[in-house]
Amino acid sequence: MSNMIYDMVLLRLGGEITVKGKNRARFEKVLADHVRKALRAFDKIVVNQTYGRLYVELNAHPYEEVAKALRDVFGLVSFSPVKRADANLEAIQATALDVFRAHGKQPDTFKVTVKRGWKQFPHDSMEMNHLVASHVLRETPELKVNIRNPEVELRVDIQKDAAYVYCDTEAGAGGFPYGANGKGLLLLSGGIDSPVAGWLGMRKGLELEAVHFYSYPFTSEQAKEKVVTLAKRLLHFTGGKFKLHLVPFTEIQTRFAQSNQERLIITLMRRAMLRITEIIAARESAHAIVTGDSLGQVASQTLGSMNVIGRATELPILRPLVMMDKIEIIRIAERIGTYETSILPFEDCCTLFVPKSPSTNPNLSIVESVEAGIEDLDAMIQQAVKDTVTVVMKQETTKALPDGRGIEQKEAGSQTDEDRWF
């Protein structure tokens, strides 16, 4: 594809947005804002919004560079590079031929579809289909028209101010604009599953913050840095800011290990994590918890275990991966760029103290009785929340922190949210 002939990019909104009725305008505005954020590295690019469409004025920027920035914007179902032409027959014919030739590998068959939005144009749509196709065929005699199943469809949209010509269409990320459907907290481990669950939640319009539990010195500093790297990758899909809440879990985990309830330790840990996350959610105005659970994958993800673990919180638990198998999850992880980091050999706290025979069908009454018998468990949970450190990450294309870290830490109790960019 030749990049430099195009003037603009036509963006099509996700199908889910188009059925939102009275809320559609809000979703479209949020999406337009995200497109502007994704393209802020490009000088003089203009984003124009019309009903059901967004147009990006390229202003001499190569299309492929702009397309790369658009591919991860949630809410876009597809987009196309467009060349503008004067609204007269000769200009449209010449531009159509340029766009067809810029397609790259020349096809054997094509068709022309003209939409005449400006009804005063002297030729109707059917006539324009023939006039444009004939011009292209004269210059490429080996080409044939195939109305039913063409390899390339050359489209022309005629408006009063200009005609817009394109033939290539690229699939977008789809879904809803990021943040359009509320806010949740993601339980982010260092494994393969949870970053994928986070990405799927983001794609459905959830604004996310991540919560990670570490057990220093049982878990290494490299394990924590691995999670920071995964959070930075998720930051890429937000277009703005992403928070990672680092929760110290050593004392609680050690107390569980000393409770002589080896088969229940994973259940107890997961329930404590949910209780801590629920408190953080209230502070951060989040209304759901997102996990990487996949039904039957490990002992804590059997139906019985998920039921007992989930009773620890009143917040809804969203499990985007619950019906996926590991191959599907890995495929998405590779696509979104988290897989290589996730398989680094640094253990998180959930892989420590794993019993030889964990309970796959724990009894809720027994679990609650064990919890009630652990001295100061509620106080330890409150202390873990108090000792949580929040890492705030922001996207910027030109600025960086003086020390090169790219992130700033702030204590959870801090009231300020004036965080640096990276």
Side-chain angles (χ1 to χ4, degrees):
M1 180 189 296
S2 175
N3 273 291
M4 299 310 295
I5 76 160
Y6 299 108
D7 305 304
M8 58 196 303
V9 186
L10 166 63
L11 312 180
R12 301 174 190 87
L13 280 59
E16 292 181 291
I17 297 175
T18 62
V19 298
K20 283 299 174 183
K22 293 181 180 180
N23 290 321
R24 175 170 173 163
R26 178 177 66 86
F27 280 84
E28 290 181 356
K29 182 180 183 301
V30 172
L31 178 56
D33 290 341
H34 283 299
V35 170
R36 293 184 182 98
K37 288 179 181 178
L39 300 179
R40 61 188 168 203
F42 300 92
D43 294 333
K44 299 180 180 178
I45 274 189
V46 178
V47 179
N48 296 316
Q49 181 180 352
T50 64
Y51 186 78
R53 293 286 189 273
L54 296 174
Y55 294 92
V56 174
E57 299 281 350
L58 289 173
N59 288 318
H61 289 288
Y63 164 73
E64 183 54 39
E65 293 182 10
V66 174
K68 184 178 180 181
L70 293 172
R71 287 178 187 129
D72 291 328
V73 177
F74 298 122
L76 293 180
V77 65
S78 65
F79 51 91
S80 298
V82 174
K83 185 170 178 60
R84 187 188 290 108
D86 292 337
N88 63 70
L89 175 61
E90 293 75 17
I92 292 171
Q93 288 175 322
T95 302
L97 182 61
D98 288 342
V99 169
F100 182 79
R101 286 173 170 168
H103 173 71
K105 183 180 179 181
Q106 295 302 300
D108 295 323
T109 62
F110 86 120
K111 68 178 284 189
V112 174
T113 301
V114 176
K115 178 182 177 182
R116 193 181 61 152
W118 179 37
K119 301 305 181 184
Q120 284 68 46
F121 190 78
H123 306 281
D124 64 27
S125 297
M126 293 296 293
E127 188 179 1
M128 283 297 294
N129 289 342
H130 173 73
L131 291 170
V132 174
S134 297
H135 180 75
V136 174
L137 287 169
R138 280 195 296 271
E139 300 297 326
T140 52
E142 70 281 3
L143 193 63
K144 294 182 180 180
V145 173
N146 185 331
I147 300 297
R148 294 185 179 274
N149 188 30
E151 294 177 55
V152 172
E153 184 172 4
L154 187 58
R155 296 177 178 270
V156 181
D157 182 8
I158 302 175
Q159 301 295 331
K160 185 176 182 179
D161 59 332
Y164 303 90
V165 186
Y166 61 95
C167 65
D168 290 298
T169 297
E170 180 171 347
F176 288 104
Y178 177 73
N181 280 331
K183 184 176 182 179
L185 293 187
L186 167 69
L187 295 185
L188 182 63
S189 71
I192 296 170
D193 299 342
S194 57
V196 174
W199 182 84
L200 289 170
M202 290 173 163
R203 188 175 180 272
K204 290 297 288 185
L206 274 182
E207 176 188 352
L208 286 185
E209 298 178 8
V211 180
H212 175 70
F213 295 84
Y214 68 94
S215 293
Y216 184 81
F218 300 119
T219 54
S220 66
E221 191 66 25
Q222 292 99 320
K224 188 161 67 173
E225 288 302 315
K226 174 182 175 181
V227 171
V228 171
T229 300
L230 291 171
K232 286 182 179 179
R233 183 56 190 162
L234 293 177
L235 164 70
H236 167 75
F237 299 101
T238 71
K241 182 171 71 173
F242 190 75
K243 288 184 179 181
L244 171 62
H245 305 283
L246 297 168
V247 183
F249 203 59
T250 308
E251 184 178 4
I252 296 174
Q253 193 168 22
T254 302
R255 190 67 63 86
F256 287 152
Q258 297 169 347
S259 67
N260 296 319
Q261 296 290 336
E262 183 182 16
R263 296 195 67 211
L264 292 177
I265 190 170
I266 299 299
T267 302
L268 294 169
M269 286 168 46
R270 297 278 297 194
R271 282 171 58 87
M273 289 176 177
L274 289 180
R275 291 175 65 184
I276 291 168
T277 303
E278 185 175 44
I279 298 171
I280 297 173
R283 188 186 72 207
E284 300 294 325
S285 300
H287 298 102
I289 297 173
V290 180
T291 77
D293 294 338
S294 177
L295 185 61
Q297 188 165 265
V298 293
S300 64
Q301 296 173 19
T302 64
L303 195 58
S305 289
M306 286 194 290
N307 176 43
V308 171
I309 291 168
R311 299 291 186 93
T313 177
E314 294 183 359
L315 287 177
I317 300 175
L318 308 181
R319 300 179 172 97
L321 312 183
V322 71
M323 296 300 179
M324 291 188 182
D325 61 35
K326 200 66 176 183
I327 293 175
E328 293 175 287
I329 297 168
I330 289 173
R331 188 179 297 123
I332 297 175
E334 291 173 334
R335 171 187 167 192
I336 67 176
T338 59
Y339 180 74
E340 293 299 325
T341 300
S342 292
I343 62 174
L344 292 174
F346 304 122
E347 293 184 324
D348 59 45
C349 69
C350 288
T351 60
L352 302 172
F353 305 111
V354 175
K356 293 181 180 179
S357 300
S359 176
T360 59
N361 191 28
N363 181 283
L364 178 61
S365 296
I366 293 174
V367 170
E368 290 177 337
S369 177
V370 171
E371 290 173 337
I374 296 176
E375 187 178 357
D376 297 329
L377 178 57
D378 289 343
M380 286 189 292
I381 285 174
Q382 293 294 334
Q383 189 63 44
V385 173
K386 183 178 179 181
D387 292 340
T388 294
V389 172
T390 297
V391 178
V392 182
M393 307 173 185
K394 287 187 177 181
Q395 283 190 328
E396 232 291 349
T397 55
T398 57
K399 299 179 182 179
L401 290 179
D403 62 3
R405 288 181 295 122
I407 59 176
E408 179 184 357
Q409 292 188 355
K410 70 183 183 71
E411 295 299 325
S414 173
Q415 296 301 309
T416 179
D417 199 26
E418 295 299 322
D419 307 302
R420 298 183 190 178
W421 295 83
F422 82 96

